[in-house]
Amino acid sequence: MYAKKLCNVLIELGIISLIIFPPVVFGAVQLLHVTYIHAIILGIGIIWVLKTFIKGSFTYIPTPLDLPILLFLILGIVNLLTSTYAHNTLREFYLIVNYGLLYFLVVQQLKTVRRIIGLAFIIILVGSGESLFSLFQYLRGAKTVL
């Protein structure tokens, strides 16, 4: 029971870090930052698999977006097989798969109203903090703002 709670906390901390990290590094557009984001998603996925083994059962929560995401992944596979720029297509396909994994993990983790409200509160808190920081930068006369 304790290990399951620890896994839930680690998954939620991973999701929170994915909310906080990209704005802090100005959108995470550099390759190193994108790599960190994907490593965090992979870590969350590994912890979720461990939690599933500890729990002893797999419960799947269907959503209306499951079919469109699955079709988009199939389109990505078809594009990968027919691409003339296989290296770039493979890199983008990894992005699609990784973000699909993030979607799946968030949907499977946010099963209760309490967790959904908590995540919404964190999103509002991070957005408000970033807005206040940008406003502060603007009022101080910075040439570029967050």
Side-chain angles (χ1 to χ4, degrees):
M1 191 64 156
Y2 176 73
K4 183 181 158 189
K5 287 184 180 181
L6 178 64
C7 287
N8 279 334
V9 168
L10 290 174
I11 290 170
E12 289 174 8
L13 286 175
I15 292 170
I16 291 168
S17 70
L18 288 173
I19 294 169
I20 294 172
F21 179 70
V24 170
V25 293
F26 298 103
V29 293
Q30 295 179 352
L31 184 59
L32 182 63
H33 298 145
V34 173
T35 304
Y36 288 153
I37 290 170
H38 292 300
I40 292 169
I41 294 171
L42 182 62
I44 294 171
I46 291 170
I47 293 169
W48 182 82
V49 168
L50 287 174
K51 183 182 89 167
T52 303
F53 280 128
I54 291 169
K55 191 168 66 169
S57 66
F58 170 73
T59 55
Y60 174 72
I61 300 173
T63 66
L65 288 178
D66 290 345
L67 182 61
I69 289 176
L70 182 63
L71 292 174
F72 192 65
L73 286 173
I74 291 171
L75 179 64
I77 292 171
V78 170
N79 192 16
L80 182 63
L81 295 174
T82 60
S83 175
T84 56
Y85 297 104
H87 176 70
N88 289 337
T89 306
L90 184 62
R91 185 181 69 214
E92 298 301 322
F93 181 71
Y94 286 148
L95 287 173
I96 292 171
V97 169
N98 213 357
Y99 292 138
L101 174 64
L102 178 62
Y103 165 77
F104 173 78
L105 292 171
V106 169
V107 166
Q108 297 304 311
Q109 187 65 22
L110 299 178
K111 295 178 183 177
T112 64
V113 173
R114 181 189 149 279
R115 286 184 178 167
I116 293 170
I117 291 173
L119 185 66
F121 178 74
I122 290 170
I123 291 171
I124 290 169
L125 190 66
V126 169
S128 299
E130 186 178 344
S131 298
L132 288 174
F133 181 69
S134 298
L135 185 61
F136 178 73
Q137 281 184 325
Y138 175 75
L139 292 174
R140 291 202 59 205
K143 301 292 182 213
T144 59
V145 292
L146 183 66

